[in-house]
Amino acid sequence: AIKYSEPGGKVVIRTAILAGGKALQIRVEDTGPGLPDSQMEAIFRPFVRAESTGDARAGVGLGLAITRQAIELHGGSVRAHKAQPRGLIVEIVVPLTSDRPQR
């Protein structure tokens, strides 16, 4: 989020407890250029980088792919959607309790 927000832009992180205390929501919102709808799922695939920015910022496109895999392994979810009036929101929801058997 910091990488894609221009100087003077903002990155806001918000947290909330959902589902009667059974899940944690983490929202990371930036004021960068955002993404077209066609890339909202693609950015979670390994080695995919955002194309809308038109710049050559360093990175290989693994951060969100690793994030999604780790969160899903813990029974959670990660999704991206547009912020208004511009920017991107990445929303993570992870359960605070697990019904999954321990290994």
Side-chain angles (χ1 to χ4, degrees), residues 13-31:
I13 300 171
R14 302 177 198 275
T15 61
I17 302 296
L18 306 176
K22 294 185 179 183
L24 171 67
Q25 177 190 62
I26 303 166
R27 290 172 51 107
V28 180
E29 182 174 346
D30 68 48
T31 57

Side-chain angles (χ1 to χ4, degrees), residues 10 13 20 22 27 43 47 67 72 78 96:
K10 291 194 309 186
I13 300 171
K22 294 185 179 183
R27 290 172 51 107
I43 60 171
F47 306 109
T67 299
E72 287 179 349
V78 180
L96 293 175

Side-chain angles (χ1 to χ4, degrees), residues 3 15 24 27-28 32 36 46 51 56 77 97 103:
K3 184 181 354 180
T15 61
L24 171 67
R27 290 172 51 107
V28 180
E51 297 173 10
S77 63
T97 60
R103 293 188 205 201

Side-chain angles (χ1 to χ4, degrees), residues 53-67:
T53 59
D55 64 6
R57 291 183 170 111
V60 294
L62 287 174
L64 288 173
I66 291 169
T67 299

